[in-house]
Amino acid sequence: MGKFFMAGPWITDHEIKIVEDAMRDGWYENAYYYVETFQKEFAAYHGRKYGIMTPNCTTSIHLLLTAIGIKNGDEVICPECTWIATAAPITYLRAEPVFCDIDSIHWCIDASSVERSITSKTKAIIAVDLYGNMPNMDALIAISERHGIPLVEDAAEAVGSMYKGVRAGKFGIGSVFSFHRTKTITTGEGGMLLLDDDNLYERCMFLRDHGRVAGIPYYNSEVTYKYMPFNLQAALGYAQFQRIEELVDKKRELFYKYKERLSNIEDIYFNTEPEGGVNGVWTTALVFGKSHNMTKKQAMRQIEDMGLPSRPFFYPLSSLPAYPEYEAKYKDKNLVAYDISSRGINLSCAFNLSDEEIDQQCNAIRKILGRNEAR
Ligand SMILES: Cc1ncc(COP(=O)(O)O)c(C=O)c1O
């Protein structure tokens, strides 16, 4: 009991066949065949003009923030609760991450907190589609347009999600996806930046490959990054992408199994799926309502005592040692983030999870909440 994983991919013979093809023939004139095909088709699927594959999603964010000119002294707004990869590239550029509160229902960045955080130094707003949930994009777009501050969508966790009929990945000047080994579509490590603007695209392509001047071999006009993707990695991504509907359906199936099994427990909250929206549910998150008096720390320890894994809801970034001295500034400001995060955990989202393993986790939740009755 308890030997299952928190996350992991679904790889079939299809992926093996495509990767084998890349291994045999993906060289010489085909050296970027899968990179280009994957970029093009992934972008088109999301209604974007351009796709730029990168070694991971963190580098996609770094590339985009660099391209829009974020620099020392600028402020970039992002949510308190997200993986640190959203904020780290702001820090790489010596700019200041400004952490905003999250919404108590969808757990993504709260638009009114964004509005209150804007100063003359604000140069970008990064919204995150947390656990596949979507923020209030209408409000964020309105703020971005009113203040003339570019909006960036971190859709790392949102393959398959939709907001009012529009796919996650189509919001703001650019969006980013992660193909980390734990994600819905995986390349082990990998990322994709999606754009519509021609100039931004040219700039990002230039920044991705050592600032080479097009048409002049070995001639560089700026010192930039080396964030090039690899054809084998792209072949795996492309093969997974060809199965995107099947992969998202499976994620949603896992989510609804958890929800159904725990449906007779009141005052617990899951990923949201508002009307007109679709949640791709990269991972199932569970927030204990206050009536349960259950913190994530207590829950995780008790679940671990039963021999089962779980993960914490993302910590408020300002509470982490990685951002020393931020807690004092944000703890009393980002009250929802501190509160929700303290009561939330993630359940396993591994593609190979069995029904018995879902039952084990649901029984564990029931037990720690003092509900022993079968469903
Ligand atoms: C919200 C968010 N942003 C960015 C990233 C970074 O992705 P990667 O690990 O591919 O750099 C992740 C992935 O873990 C994420 O969850």
Side-chain angles (χ1 to χ4, degrees):
M1 180 162 146
K3 285 273 181 221
F4 56 86
F5 291 89
M6 284 302 296
W10 182 6
I11 303 296
T12 65
D13 286 346
H14 176 65
E15 284 84 346
I16 293 167
K17 201 173 109 215
I18 299 279
V19 172
E20 186 181 339
D21 178 64
M23 195 70 187
R24 291 188 190 284
D25 289 327
W27 312 99
Y28 300 99
E29 70 273 20
N30 295 326
Y32 285 104
Y33 172 78
Y34 282 111
V35 170
E36 282 161 11
T37 308
F38 184 30
Q39 290 178 159
K40 201 166 135 219
E41 293 194 21
F42 193 81
Y45 183 83
H46 292 92
R48 291 279 199 185
K49 196 163 172 190
Y50 300 111
I52 300 181
M53 195 179 177
T54 55
N56 52 57
C57 175
T58 310
T59 48
S60 280
I61 301 172
H62 193 198
L63 207 55
L64 180 57
L65 294 186
T66 308
I68 61 176
I70 302 300
K71 57 178 187 327
N72 194 354
D74 291 344
E75 292 177 1
V76 177
I77 286 175
C78 67
E80 265 284 8
C81 289
T82 176
W83 176 229
I84 194 169
T86 308
I90 305 170
T91 306
Y92 299 164
L93 293 166
R94 306 273 181 266
E96 178 75 10
V98 173
F99 300 126
C100 279
D101 209 356
I102 62 169
D103 179 86
S104 60
I105 308 292
H106 56 60
W107 314 327
C108 299
I109 198 163
D110 172 46
S112 61
S113 179
V114 171
E115 185 95 63
R116 285 194 299 277
S117 304
I118 290 174
T119 72
S120 58
K121 294 183 185 169
T122 311
K123 293 291 158 29
I125 300 163
I126 308 179
V128 179
D129 308 332
L130 203 76
Y131 303 128
N133 294 1
M134 296 300 290
N136 182 345
M137 285 296 184
D138 289 342
L140 293 172
I141 291 165
I143 292 170
S144 156
E145 287 175 355
R146 195 160 57 245
H147 293 271
I149 300 169
L151 176 68
V152 171
E153 183 189 7
D154 181 344
E157 303 176 1
V159 159
S161 292
M162 278 185 146
Y163 174 84
K164 297 187 179 174
V166 178
R167 281 194 200 290
K170 180 56 187 165
F171 296 92
I173 55 156
S175 55
V176 293
F177 286 89
S178 170
F179 309 129
H180 184 249
R181 66 181 168 74
T182 55
K183 293 296 194 290
T184 304
I185 286 183
T186 191
T187 57
E189 286 282 350
M192 186 82 84
L193 168 59
L194 300 185
L195 302 166
D196 289 318
D197 183 80
D198 299 346
N199 294 330
L200 202 49
Y201 170 71
E202 291 304 332
R203 182 71 185 151
C204 288
M205 290 296 276
F206 170 83
L207 290 171
R208 190 178 68 163
D209 192 13
H210 278 317
R212 290 169 189 255
V213 176
I216 315 178
Y218 299 150
Y219 196 78
N220 315 79
S221 60
E222 281 179 47
V223 177
T224 72
Y225 313 126
K226 178 69 189 299
Y227 286 166
M228 292 297 287
F230 175 37
N231 208 39
L232 274 186
Q233 187 189 29
L236 177 54
Y238 183 57
Q240 287 254 280
F241 170 63
Q242 289 181 309
R243 296 179 50 232
I244 187 165
E245 315 277 330
E246 188 183 8
L247 294 174
V248 172
D249 283 352
K250 180 70 186 176
K251 284 285 186 180
R252 289 171 53 76
E253 187 187 309
L254 293 177
F255 172 66
Y256 279 105
K257 282 183 177 170
Y258 283 122
K259 256 189 106 165
E260 196 263 321
R261 282 162 170 73
L262 295 172
S263 61
N264 61 353
I265 302 183
E266 281 176 15
D267 204 24
I268 57 173
Y269 304 92
F270 294 91
N271 311 45
T272 49
E273 189 164 54
E275 254 188 48
V278 176
N279 198 319
V281 204
W282 160 57
T283 197
T284 296
L286 171 59
V287 172
F288 303 105
K290 286 186 179 161
S291 66
H292 294 293
N293 223 353
M294 176 65 69
T295 66
K296 73 174 166 203
K297 222 168 138 190
Q298 291 166 336
M300 287 170 58
R301 201 181 43 238
Q302 291 178 36
I303 292 170
E304 194 184 351
D305 287 346
M306 290 178 229
L308 302 178
S310 65
R311 287 283 181 278
F313 195 99
F314 288 120
Y315 293 97
L317 290 174
S318 66
S319 73
L320 295 174
Y323 285 104
E325 290 160 37
Y326 278 60
E327 184 161 347
K329 189 170 161 194
Y330 286 106
K331 195 173 178 181
D332 296 329
K333 206 166 146 223
N334 295 335
L335 294 171
V336 179
Y338 272 81
D339 175 42
I340 295 281
S341 167
S342 73
R343 298 187 273 124
I345 60 169
N346 300 158
L347 304 174
S348 167
C349 66
F351 272 112
N352 66 359
L353 201 66
S354 68
D355 280 353
E356 291 69 39
E357 289 160 345
I358 293 177
D359 283 338
Q360 284 172 28
Q361 290 173 89
C362 293
N363 288 337
I365 300 291
R366 240 180 253 118
K367 206 161 169 190
I368 67 172
L369 296 182
R371 312 289 171 102
N372 288 319
E373 74 268 29
R375 70 190 164 97

